[in-house]
Amino acid sequence: MRISIPILTIAMLFVCKTRLTAQEIIHDAEYYILEAQHGERWEKEDKSLDKKLAELEKKYGTPPNIIYVLWDDIAFGDIGIPAIQKVRGFETPELNKLAEEGMLFTHMYTEVGCTPSRSAVMTGRMPTRNGMYNIGMLRESHGLRDTEVTIAEVLSKSGYATAHHGKWHLGDIEESYPQNQGFDEAFYSAYNQILSFWTKKAEIGNATIGLHEDLLPNDPYKLDDTFITKGWALALEGTKGGKTLQWEDNSAETYGKFDAEAQKRTLEFIDRKAKEGKPFFVQHCPMLLMPAFVKAKKESVSRSMMQDGMQGIVDPFIGQLVDKLNALGIAENTLIVAMADNGPMAHNPPPAGGWAETIFKGGKGDFTEGGVRVTAQAWWPGIIKPQIAGDIIHITDLFTTFAHLGKAKENIPTDRVIDGIDQTALLLNGDTNGRRDYVFIYAGPNLGATVKGNYKRHWISPDPVGDASGIGAAFYFLPSDPREMSPMMLNLIHLKQPFNRMKLRHQLWKKNYPDLPEKHGIPFTGIENASQEIKDLAKPPLDTSKLPFDVFEYIEHLDELPFEKDSSPGIGGN
């Protein structure tokens, strides 16, 4: 008897738990709805893909090299579409060439902010599952827990050399350092581009206020000398199983040299591993934000930080990267994926930031399309044919796809939900061969919206009165309303229950695989050459035996503090 799809969608949660074996990847509940309809075809397709990958490995001697370039806060179309760049006052010919020669994605979704997106690609898991939904700031005392399994660990077990150079932003606690998360070598910052404002030059110009107290007159009313953080590390370096060292100091001059150092190390790593004949995975994450007190020379017509960073820092490096691959004769065996981590910093940007919405509404922090639908491209000469892809793909999918390409899927953990879907078929067979038609978009730890094909529902509704009665105008048809300005009720009310069922399946599956809390600890431990200020972070500034509470118990329960609504992602500006 043929089971109807509506009945199947209700029964699937109860079926999929029993049908999984110990060796199978556990996906989100929604994936099994698609697998039930397309699984047999996908299985045949996978055999064809594996045959093609085996032929490539035989030809080149190793599985493909993988280079992942991830930058910050760029709106869809700012890269890869020269007409938009002409309007925006900058150009990136090298990145645009990647898009022209490879696959330009039109439906690449990320998470709403830097830390969540970087956690998503590293673990293949939505950040709400592992407590990585907060964007890390100074002395966050928080990070990616050591029980998470990263793509670097997955690929390392299959013989890949791994490296991370550039912005990390996945925590300042020792277990979260990249060299402790599977990377053979790492050069990185624990935080984001705001490091450029945490310098004495920035304090002098009031770009940062009150951080460097040695530059300020004494405040006769100040009582608490522990409130302002006095120690941190702008840049760190380390190797797997080796020492962790602070790289130079926290000055504006050090920040200004960071990207060049990351670029040099990335190119040197590629050169070394190619000559060793070893497959490699390297993640390069430029800081790119260069305010005037770090770099005074303007690079673009826009003369803004975002445009200057992309045109003057990132784009030339992409040219050097491609030249290096061609010189080593490994371009045809190397995949490059280059993309933004979320939408533009449209809310509360610094002066002359240069960020702006393009076709989509909203930006960084929003669950509207402008916050999470980003510019992205994949380049693999001879394998990926030049094309524009309309398939939905999520940043977590790269985790599972890279694992497939690296013959490492057996290293993916099977005791937790992996949100990433294997999109190898999309890369190798082209447009319309994707395996995802949905995305759950979180606002911090809260579900903000769900996308299914061309349709979208806001769960944090712009029509709260109507939504409370069950007939809210919270549905959107994205092709005709990409800015989500006209929520529909009557036109799309037939989607109310289909979206409700999606949400229910998603939430019920979490009962079997609950979300984990945030992981907290003492920041910046394990640094061999740590300054006294950093060492003091691990020392309570008072006699803890005299406190009426256990300070360490307090640290353990930081994850129970309510999510800060003022920093919570919204639904975008008007």
Side-chain angles (χ1 to χ4, degrees):
M1 180 179 70
R2 184 176 178 82
I3 300 175
S4 69
I5 293 302
I7 294 175
L8 182 65
T9 62
I10 298 171
M12 189 53 61
L13 276 178
F14 305 100
V15 175
C16 61
K17 185 178 181 182
T18 58
R19 65 179 290 280
L20 291 170
T21 70
Q23 289 74 41
E24 287 183 278
I25 296 172
I26 301 167
H27 289 291
D28 185 65
E30 200 60 26
Y31 170 80
Y32 299 105
I33 305 302
L34 303 181
E35 186 188 51
Q37 300 170 73
H38 305 283
E40 291 183 7
R41 177 173 62 85
W42 289 349
E43 189 175 354
K44 293 178 182 178
E45 196 173 45
D46 283 343
K47 291 178 181 178
S48 175
L49 294 171
D50 288 338
K51 181 180 178 182
K52 186 172 185 178
L53 291 171
E55 291 171 352
L56 289 171
E57 183 176 358
K58 183 177 180 181
K59 180 178 179 180
Y60 296 108
T62 69
N65 307 302
I66 301 169
I67 301 172
Y68 184 53
V69 183
L70 184 68
W71 56 77
D72 280 78
D73 304 358
I74 307 295
F76 176 85
D78 270 345
I79 302 297
I81 304 179
I84 291 180
Q85 291 185 336
K86 186 68 69 174
V87 174
R88 301 277 281 120
F90 75 115
E91 56 185 24
T92 57
E94 300 296 341
L95 278 164
N96 292 354
K97 189 177 179 182
L98 285 190
E100 292 167 6
E101 295 178 352
M103 180 176 286
L104 179 63
F105 298 102
T106 62
H107 280 75
M108 171 66 84
Y109 284 92
T110 63
E111 298 295 317
V112 298
C114 331
T115 296
S117 284
R118 289 159 200 271
S119 167
V121 72
M122 279 292 95
T123 66
R125 286 154 55 78
M126 289 189 298
T128 185
R129 297 197 191 278
N130 51 29
M132 291 300 293
Y133 50 79
N134 264 316
I135 297 175
M137 294 295 174
L138 183 57
R139 198 174 173 183
E140 191 74 11
S141 305
H142 159 250
L144 188 66
R145 53 173 36 87
D146 54 11
T147 54
E148 288 296 315
V149 178
T150 69
I151 187 59
E153 291 172 301
V154 167
L155 290 172
S156 290
K157 290 180 180 179
S158 287
Y160 273 70
T162 58
H164 171 90
H165 303 126
K167 175 180 172 180
W168 178 240
H169 208 188
L170 287 176
D172 54 17
I173 58 175
E174 190 173 352
E175 66 190 80
S176 72
Y177 300 165
Q179 68 271 25
N180 296 332
Q181 290 284 351
F183 287 97
D184 297 329
E185 61 180 68
F187 171 77
Y188 59 102
S189 62
Y191 305 122
N192 59 6
Q193 291 82 356
I194 204 169
L195 286 164
S196 62
F197 294 98
W198 292 343
T199 64
K200 292 191 175 184
K201 283 188 176 181
E203 185 77 55
I204 291 169
N206 283 347
T208 292
I209 296 176
L211 181 61
H212 293 275
E213 294 181 301
D214 58 314
L215 298 179
L216 309 174
N218 290 327
D219 181 355
Y221 306 105
K222 175 184 171 184
L223 298 177
D224 185 357
D225 195 41
T226 68
F227 183 69
I228 301 295
T229 297
K230 295 181 173 59
W232 69 92
L234 187 154
L236 297 170
E237 58 184 330
T239 56
K240 186 185 295 183
K243 296 179 180 179
T244 298
L245 301 170
Q246 181 172 359
W247 185 76
E248 300 201 5
D249 57 19
N250 293 340
S251 66
E253 289 73 23
T254 296
Y255 183 92
K257 294 187 288 185
F258 182 85
D259 272 330
E261 182 69 18
Q263 291 175 358
K264 178 174 74 75
R265 294 190 187 210
T266 295
L267 294 174
E268 288 176 349
F269 176 81
I270 291 170
D271 193 67
R272 277 186 279 118
K273 299 309 167 184
K275 290 175 180 176
E276 292 173 9
K278 187 169 186 176
F280 59 80
F281 167 70
V282 58
Q283 179 170 256
H284 179 90
C285 301
M287 295 288 269
L288 78 85
L289 179 63
M290 302 297 269
F293 48 81
V294 174
K295 184 179 181 182
K297 184 179 181 298
K298 302 299 180 182
E299 300 282 355
S300 68
V301 172
S302 172
R303 54 187 286 123
S304 297
M305 287 185 282
M306 184 280 283
Q307 288 90 336
D308 276 13
M310 294 305 299
Q311 180 171 322
I313 297 172
V314 182
D315 196 63
F317 171 70
I318 294 297
Q320 296 173 34
L321 185 61
V322 172
D323 287 346
K324 171 65 72 174
L325 298 176
N326 285 324
L328 292 169
I330 60 172
E332 289 75 18
N333 196 38
T334 301
L335 167 67
I336 298 178
V337 175
M339 61 182 287
D341 64 354
N342 48 249
M345 193 174 180
H347 309 298
N348 306 309
W355 293 282
E357 299 175 10
T358 55
I359 186 174
F360 301 120
K361 176 185 177 181
K364 182 172 187 167
D366 296 327
F367 60 76
T368 48
E369 298 293 284
V372 292
R373 194 160 157 184
V374 302
T375 180
Q377 52 256 352
W379 179 87
W380 190 352
I383 305 299
I384 295 178
K385 296 178 181 178
Q387 62 193 287
I388 298 175
D391 302 81
I392 290 179
I393 181 171
H394 188 260
I395 191 169
T396 54
D397 296 347
L398 298 176
F399 172 92
T400 320
T401 304
F402 291 166
H404 187 171
L405 295 175
K407 299 172 62 177
K409 285 186 76 172
E410 67 274 13
N411 301 328
I412 294 176
T414 57
D415 61 347
R416 65 200 70 184
V417 172
I418 301 294
D419 295 288
I421 294 171
D422 185 358
Q423 298 277 21
T424 304
L426 174 59
L427 295 183
L428 271 59
N429 293 343
D431 188 38
T432 74
N433 286 283
R435 297 185 180 181
R436 175 189 288 276
D437 69 350
Y438 68 93
V439 179
F440 291 98
I441 304 171
Y442 274 79
N446 308 307
L447 183 60
T450 300
V451 174
K452 181 73 168 180
N454 288 322
Y455 306 103
K456 185 169 185 176
R457 179 171 182 175
H458 288 189
W459 299 108
I460 301 175
S461 176
D463 181 15
V465 176
D467 199 51
S469 65
I471 54 171
F475 303 91
Y476 299 83
F477 183 58
L478 294 174
S480 63
D481 187 15
R483 292 190 58 75
E484 296 162 79
M485 299 296 288
S486 303
M488 296 181 182
M489 190 273 282
L490 182 63
N491 319 59
L492 293 176
I493 198 64
H494 60 282
L495 297 179
K496 176 186 173 184
Q497 285 308 315
F499 271 114
N500 283 347
R501 287 194 294 268
M502 285 184 69
K503 182 180 180 181
L504 178 62
R505 289 191 293 265
H506 179 69
Q507 292 177 331
L508 286 177
W509 202 226
K510 283 192 172 190
K511 289 188 175 181
N512 293 308
Y513 300 96
D515 292 346
L516 297 173
E518 293 184 300
K519 179 64 185 291
H520 291 276
I522 297 171
F524 293 123
T525 59
I527 300 174
E528 189 81 9
N529 59 344
S531 65
Q532 189 58 49
E533 289 82 3
I534 289 177
K535 292 177 181 177
D536 287 344
L537 294 176
K539 300 176 182 177
L542 51 116
D543 184 353
T544 58
S545 65
K546 296 181 180 179
L547 292 174
F549 56 86
D550 183 348
V551 66
F552 297 104
E553 182 181 12
Y554 167 80
I555 292 173
E556 290 173 359
H557 289 272
L558 281 174
D559 60 281
E560 296 175 11
L561 293 175
F563 187 72
E564 296 178 11
K565 292 183 179 181
D566 290 343
S567 65
S568 172
I571 60 171
N574 294 321

